[in-house]
Amino acid sequence: MTDFLVRGAAELWTGRRDAMRVRGPVDLRVRAGRIAAIGSLEPEPGERVLDAAGCIVYPAWVNTHHHLFQSLLKGIPEAIDLPLVPWLGAVTVPYRAGFRDEDAFRVAVRVGLVELALSGCGTVADHQYHVYPGMDYDPSAVCFEEAERLGLRFVLCRGGQTLPSADAPPEAVPETLEQFLAGVEHDAARFHDPSPHAMRRVVSAITTPHTSCTSGELREIARHARGLGLRLHSHLSETDDYLRWAREHHGCSPIEFAERHEWLGPDVWYAHMVHLDDDELRRCADTGTGIAHCPQSNARLGSGIARIPEALAAGVPVGLAVDGAASNEACDMLSEAHACWLTHRADPRSGRFAGQPGGHAGAMTVEDVVHVGTAGGARVLGLDGVGTLAVGQGADFAVYDLREPRHFGLHDPAVAPVASGGRTPLKALVVAGRVVVEDDAVPGLDLAGLRDDAARWVRALRR
Ligand SMILES: [Zn+2]
C-alpha cells in the first residue's frame, strides 16, 4: 500500500512549533511517498482507506543519535550504575570483541531498528563506530540493508578513531587518518543521497573529537567531509571531562575548541552538549550548530541535564535522540520523548521559561517535545523533506491508537503519546508512503525468532 487515504484522525500534529495542531476529524492523502493533501477529504474511487478514527497522527520521529550495535548490551550488571568514563571501560570497549561476528552485529542492528519503528520512528541516524582495519564484514552495508528491509530512512554517521583507546581489544585498533577518510568516502560513494527526501545519507563522524584523533586531524576531517558535501557529527560536552580537557590542553571551552578546528556550522551537530555555558549556547545559535538531545542516556549515566529550553529560546537547532542501548536500557522515541517532557520541568534552571514566577512546569510543553523530536531532528540532519506534515513533504507519520487503559479519561488525547508515558500502540507507522508498522506489528517479522537470536547472542557475549 503506497497510495491511500488516512481517514478521520482525531487530531494531526504538523511538527511545526508555530502551527502544531490540526483539529479533527482530519484526513491525509498519500501519493508516491509524499503527502498529497491534508484536510477534510473524500475517498477517490478505488482509493484504499486507513481508518484512523480516534487516532492521533504525529510526524514520524527522527532519531538523531544512536549506536545500534549496543542493542545487545542492555543492562550489563557490572556497568549499570557507572558514570561515563568507567562505563566506557566496562562496556563499549571490552564487549566490542563480541561483534567480530557479522550475525551478532546484524541482530543488534535489527533489534534496535524494530524497537524504534514500534515507537513511531521513521528516520534513524546511527553513530556507527564499530569499525577497525581488516574487519571481515561490511558494517555500513549491514546497517543500510536492515534499515531498507524494514523501510526506515537511515543516516549512517561513519565513526571511528585514529588514536588507540586504553586497554582496547583488537576490534578497537585505530585506523590511520587515510583509512578513516577513505572509509567515509567509500560509504558516501555507495550510499549517500543529498536530496531532501533521501532514504540514505552518510555523515563523517569521528567518535569523539578529543580522544579519537589528533586536533590537527580534526580540521582535515572537516575539510574532507565538506569537500564531499557531507555533514559532520560527533559527541561533545557530555560530561565535565570534556570541559577539563579543553581547558587543560587548549585553554578554552569545548565549543571554542570545535570552532578553532572548523567543527561548528549548520552542517554540524553533536550528541549531548549537556555542559554548555552561555557563550557556548550563543555560539551554537550563531553558527547553526545542532544538538542531539539524549535525556535518558544523560540521566542514566548521571551526566546531567542539557539546557534545552534555553537552547531553543536562543535558536539552537535541537533534535531528540535515544543514544546507544548500553546507556539506555530501552531505545524507543516515545520513552525518550516522555523523559524529555519531564526532565526539563524537574530542572530548577528551567524556571525562567515557565511563564510564571517560580514555576518550571511550562519549561517544555508536549508541543515543544514533538517539535524537537520531529522537525527539529530533520533540521539537524538536513533532511528538509521529512519531520513536518504538509503537502509535498515525505509521507512519514505515526498513527497512534489510544486503546490502552492509560489513555482512557484524557481531556486532550493528542498529548497522550508523549505525556501518558509507556508505549502508545501504533495503528500504523508510514515512512515514505510505505506501511512499516501495521496494527502494532511489523508485517512479516518473526518477533519471537528475533528475541531468541538476541538471547543467544547475550549468552555468547557474557561468556
Ligand atoms: Zn553516543
Side-chain angles (χ1 to χ4, degrees):
M1 188 157 80
T2 52
D3 285 359
F4 56 98
L5 183 70
V6 179
R7 193 100 205 274
E11 196 158 315
L12 177 146
W13 284 25
T14 63
R16 280 177 47 181
R17 229 176 163 203
D18 57 340
M20 182 63 83
R21 293 179 182 233
V22 181
R23 309 278 179 184
V26 55
D27 313 311
L28 180 154
R29 176 161 283 133
V30 176
R31 288 289 179 272
R34 305 277 178 93
I35 296 172
I38 295 173
S40 185
L41 309 170
E42 286 300 316
E44 293 174 352
E47 186 175 28
R48 296 209 220 185
V49 173
L50 193 159
D51 179 13
C55 295
I56 306 299
V57 178
Y58 281 1
W61 298 100
V62 177
N63 175 19
T64 55
H65 180 78
H66 203 157
H67 309 289
L68 282 165
F69 84 91
Q70 295 180 12
S71 301
L72 294 178
L73 302 177
K74 294 173 182 171
I76 289 179
E78 55 271 32
I80 197 159
D81 297 324
L82 295 179
L84 179 68
V85 173
W87 168 88
L88 285 168
V91 176
T92 63
V93 171
Y95 277 98
R96 277 182 57 183
F99 295 91
R100 65 167 64 108
D101 190 307
E102 176 178 335
D103 187 61
F105 185 83
R106 188 178 289 278
V107 168
V109 169
R110 192 174 296 168
V111 167
L113 291 175
V114 167
E115 189 182 357
L116 283 163
L118 288 170
S119 72
C121 179
T123 299
V124 180
D126 192 64
H127 196 177
Q128 205 308 94
Y129 62 82
H130 183 64
V131 182
Y132 53 95
M135 275 185 97
D136 60 5
Y137 66 94
D138 181 347
S140 304
V142 171
C143 291
F144 281 111
E145 282 163 19
E146 291 297 321
E148 188 172 316
R149 224 165 89 127
L150 263 175
L152 301 182
R153 296 185 201 267
F154 193 78
V155 178
L156 177 83
C157 303
R158 204 287 195 179
Q161 58 191 53
T162 67
L163 294 176
S165 325
D167 306 321
E171 290 73 18
V173 164
E175 298 176 292
T176 62
L177 178 65
E178 290 68 32
Q179 285 171 326
F180 174 80
L181 298 178
V184 170
E185 211 162 319
H186 182 51
D187 283 346
R190 292 186 294 164
F191 303 116
H192 184 67
D193 173 1
S195 79
H197 294 91
M199 294 300 292
R200 297 172 157 201
R201 282 278 180 91
V202 173
V203 170
S204 181
I206 194 83
T207 305
T208 306
H210 67 296
T211 56
S212 302
C213 66
T214 68
S215 317
E217 288 172 344
L218 265 186
R219 204 176 279 119
E220 270 193 73
I221 290 167
R223 290 179 183 175
H224 174 262
R226 291 191 172 112
L228 295 170
L230 304 181
R231 298 173 93 78
L232 292 162
H233 175 57
S234 196
H235 295 92
L236 200 69
S237 298
E238 181 172 359
T239 59
D240 287 340
D241 303 309
Y242 285 79
L243 277 60
R244 248 194 315 279
W245 169 84
R247 207 177 313 119
E248 281 171 18
H249 294 268
H250 297 274
C252 63
S253 71
I255 287 291
E256 280 177 292
F257 167 78
E259 182 152 37
R260 285 181 199 170
H261 294 86
E262 303 174 21
W263 268 74
L264 291 190
D267 55 353
V268 185
W269 86 101
Y270 290 103
H272 307 303
M273 302 274 252
V274 174
H275 301 278
L276 297 186
D277 64 24
D278 291 344
D279 289 340
E280 289 178 291
L281 270 178
R282 233 186 333 270
R283 214 52 213 125
C284 289
D286 291 347
T287 57
T289 306
I291 300 175
H293 177 37
C294 309
Q296 293 194 122
S297 171
N298 298 156
R300 148 74 155 85
L301 292 170
S303 302
I305 300 174
R307 298 167 66 188
I308 298 303
E310 287 154 283
L312 290 171
V316 179
V318 180
L320 193 62
V322 299
D323 202 7
S327 63
N328 180 354
E329 276 53 40
C331 287
D332 72 84
M333 288 298 279
L334 285 180
S335 58
E336 202 68 46
H338 187 59
C340 180
W341 184 59
L342 295 175
T343 300
H344 301 291
R345 293 166 171 244
D347 183 354
R349 296 170 307 177
S350 298
R352 61 192 163 112
F353 294 91
Q356 53 187 8
H360 316 140
M364 199 77 181
T365 65
V366 175
E367 285 88 341
D368 291 335
V369 174
V370 171
H371 168 75
V372 165
T374 60
R379 178 177 172 199
V380 159
L381 300 182
L383 271 170
D384 302 335
V386 303
T388 50
L389 299 185
V391 172
Q393 288 293 85
D396 292 25
F397 54 88
V399 182
Y400 289 108
D401 188 350
L402 308 186
R403 65 186 185 211
E404 302 281 342
R406 69 192 310 125
H407 306 127
F408 303 170
L410 283 160
H411 289 229
D412 182 8
V415 301
V418 171
S420 294
R423 195 180 67 81
T424 308
L426 279 169
K427 180 89 176 186
L429 169 68
V430 176
V431 180
R434 175 176 159 190
V435 178
V436 171
V437 176
E438 194 172 6
D439 289 329
D440 217 31
V442 176
L445 174 75
D446 175 8
L447 198 59
L450 184 58
R451 185 189 57 198
D452 292 346
D453 289 343
R456 174 169 53 81
W457 276 114
V458 167
R459 284 195 298 275
L461 288 164
R462 292 214 64 76
R463 281 200 295 274

